Amino acid sequence: MRATAAALACAASLLAASQALPLLAAPEGLPVTNAASRFASSGFLDKAARPEGAVTVQAGEMDGDEEIVSAKDCPEYPFVIEVAYPSGMGVAVDRALKARADEVMRDLKARGEKALSGPDACGPQAGTGHLKVTSYPYRVSSKVFSVLLLEDSYLGGAHPDYSFEAVNLLADGTPVTAARLFADPAKSLPLFWERVYRDSCAEGPGGAPSYYGGQECADDVPPLPDRLKADAPLDELGHAVLTSLGLTVCLSPYDGWAWSDGPAYLDISKDDLVTMGADPGLWD
C-alpha cells in the first residue's frame, strides 16, 4: 500500500477546479492505495449523497485575510495557504463551517510563518512549501450534514503529508457527538471499537491503527481507547464521516501504520451502526 505524490497532486488540482463548480460530483482526489482490501478506498465516500446547491468558497475571501506568506529574506518565494470549504447547506451549518474554516486558516498561517522563520527558509526548498485544505461535503439527511477536510501540506523534507478532519453537524450547526450518534454510548462504543479493531487486523498490514494505540492483533479485543468518549465529536472516533450510507473512518498514513502503507478508509453501513445502537432518526 503506498500513497503517491500523484494522488496528492490530484487532490490539489481538485481544489483549484472546485472554485467554480457545485460540489455534487464524487470526491475524486482523495488519497488512495493499491491494496486489494477494503482499506484501498471508500465506496461510501464515492457514492454517498451530496448536498444540492453547495458551492466552494475560500476562507479569507470575505474578511480580506492573506492567503500567502513569505520569508523576510526571500519574499520572492511565497508560501501558499488555501482553505476551501462548502457553503449553501443551511444558515446554521454554513456559519459553523465558516467559523471552523477561519480557525483552520489561522492555524495554517501560524504553521507557515513558523516554518518560514527557520534557518532553511530560503534554502534549496524555498518556494515549494504549501498548506492546502480541500473539502468534501455530504448530506446525511435533512437533519445532518458532514464535511471531510483533507489537508495537503509540505513544510520541507522527503515528501508532502496529508491529514483528515471530519466535521459532522446537526442542522442547527451543533456538532454530532458519539452520544448523539449512539443512544447508549457505554454500550455502543465498545461495539464500534470492536468493529474497527477486527477489520483493521483482518485487512491492514498488522496491528490496530496507531490512531487508537497500535495494539497488537489478538483474539480478545483491547480496552476501549481513551479518545472514544461519549462527549467526543465524531472526528475523535477516527475522523469519522457520517454519510447517507453510514459512516466512514478516515485515517491518514501516520494515523494508520506508516507512510508507505497509505491511508485507511473503513466503511460501516447504516444498518450495522443501527445494530450497534445508532439513532436511525439521523438518516430520516
Side-chain angles (χ1 to χ4, degrees):
M1 301 168 68
R2 182 172 296 273
T4 66
L8 292 174
C10 183
S13 65
L14 178 67
L15 173 63
S18 66
Q19 303 309 306
L21 296 175
L23 293 172
L24 301 178
E28 299 173 0
L30 285 173
V32 298
T33 67
N34 295 320
S37 77
R38 74 187 66 191
F39 285 145
S41 63
S42 167
F44 284 8
L45 295 184
D46 292 341
K47 299 174 183 176
R50 313 277 273 166
E52 295 183 4
V55 296
T56 297
V57 294
Q58 288 279 355
E61 280 188 343
M62 300 303 294
D63 56 16
D65 283 353
E66 296 285 335
E67 292 192 353
I68 58 173
V69 295
S70 59
K72 180 178 64 175
D73 294 334
C74 50
E76 68 274 21
Y77 297 119
F79 192 108
V80 178
I81 300 175
E82 297 177 352
V83 178
Y85 66 99
S87 182
M89 297 190 289
V91 173
V93 172
D94 289 351
R95 185 183 300 117
L97 289 173
K98 182 183 186 305
R100 180 57 191 147
D102 288 343
E103 289 176 350
V104 171
M105 174 64 81
R106 288 192 292 269
D107 175 67
L108 296 189
K109 285 182 179 178
R111 287 166 55 191
E113 289 168 355
K114 182 178 180 180
L116 290 173
S117 67
D120 298 326
C122 298
Q125 295 179 325
T128 62
H130 65 266
L131 289 161
K132 299 183 180 182
V133 172
T134 311
S135 64
Y136 304 89
Y138 299 93
R139 183 185 187 276
V140 182
S141 67
S142 61
K143 301 175 182 178
V144 184
F145 297 85
S146 62
V147 179
L148 178 63
L149 302 177
L150 169 65
E151 179 190 308
D152 167 13
S153 62
Y154 182 66
L155 300 175
H159 57 72
D161 196 8
Y162 57 90
S163 60
F164 297 111
E165 179 183 346
V167 181
N168 298 270
L169 299 170
L170 298 173
D172 64 2
T174 57
V176 181
T177 63
R180 182 61 185 88
L181 174 62
F182 296 118
D184 185 355
K187 176 182 177 181
S188 298
L189 284 174
L191 298 176
F192 173 85
W193 164 232
E194 180 176 6
R195 171 66 179 268
V196 171
Y197 176 75
R198 296 292 189 201
D199 284 0
S200 60
C201 281
E203 304 290 345
S210 60
Y211 184 86
Y212 303 101
Q215 301 89 340
E216 293 184 4
C217 293
D219 292 338
D220 295 330
V221 179
L224 193 70
D226 290 341
R227 64 174 68 229
L228 303 189
K229 299 177 180 178
D231 61 351
L234 299 191
D235 186 65
E236 287 294 307
L237 271 60
H239 312 305
V241 181
L242 279 178
T243 70
S244 57
L245 301 177
L247 176 149
T248 299
V249 169
C250 304
L251 301 176
S252 69
Y254 293 131
D255 284 334
W257 295 275
W259 176 260
S260 59
D261 292 316
Y265 303 99
L266 170 61
D267 292 331
I268 303 177
S269 72
K270 176 176 62 177
D271 289 344
D272 286 351
L273 290 168
V274 171
T275 298
M276 293 176 192
D279 176 10
L282 291 174
W283 288 272
D284 291 342

